[in-house]
Amino acid sequence: MLLTDFEYLNNTDSAFKRKVALQIKTLRKQNQVTQEKFFNETHINIARLESGIIDIRLETLRKICYYFNVSLAGFFQEI
């Protein structure tokens, strides 16, 4: 059965969110930063983002990349 465009987007959207969440978690672990430390320094609840369930705003992702000294292009290069 062929998926409609909407069904296809829903399926790929979920996979993309998981990849973004995994990349965020990988960056945090590579830099040996705890979720608590990250929250205390940025006021961003990274645990929620790492779950891959919620949508992330571009502005929030930009702040995460800035914190870990990685460009947005570099962030997505790994996905």
Side-chain angles (χ1 to χ4, degrees):
M1 179 174 113
L2 293 175
L3 297 176
T4 65
D5 289 343
F6 187 70
E7 290 170 325
Y8 174 78
L9 286 176
N10 280 341
N11 290 345
T12 57
D13 187 49
S14 179
F16 182 71
K17 284 180 187 179
R18 285 191 306 271
K19 289 179 183 179
V20 169
L22 181 59
Q23 181 65 3
I24 291 170
K25 187 174 187 174
T26 300
L27 277 174
R28 183 179 60 76
K29 290 195 175 248
Q30 284 176 343
N31 288 278
Q32 300 177 344
V33 175
T34 65
Q35 291 176 342
E36 183 179 3
K37 178 181 179 189
F38 187 84
F39 179 77
N40 289 337
E41 293 179 357
T42 65
H43 302 291
I44 296 171
N45 187 341
I46 202 165
R48 290 182 46 184
L49 300 175
E50 288 179 1
S51 73
I53 298 169
I54 64 169
D55 289 332
I56 183 170
R57 293 177 48 208
L58 185 57
E59 180 180 339
T60 303
L61 183 56
R62 185 183 62 82
K63 289 176 182 177
I64 291 169
C65 288
Y66 181 82
Y67 181 89
F68 291 118
N69 196 30
V70 64
S71 68
L72 280 170
F75 179 88
F76 285 109
Q77 188 174 12
E78 299 298 322
I79 294 180

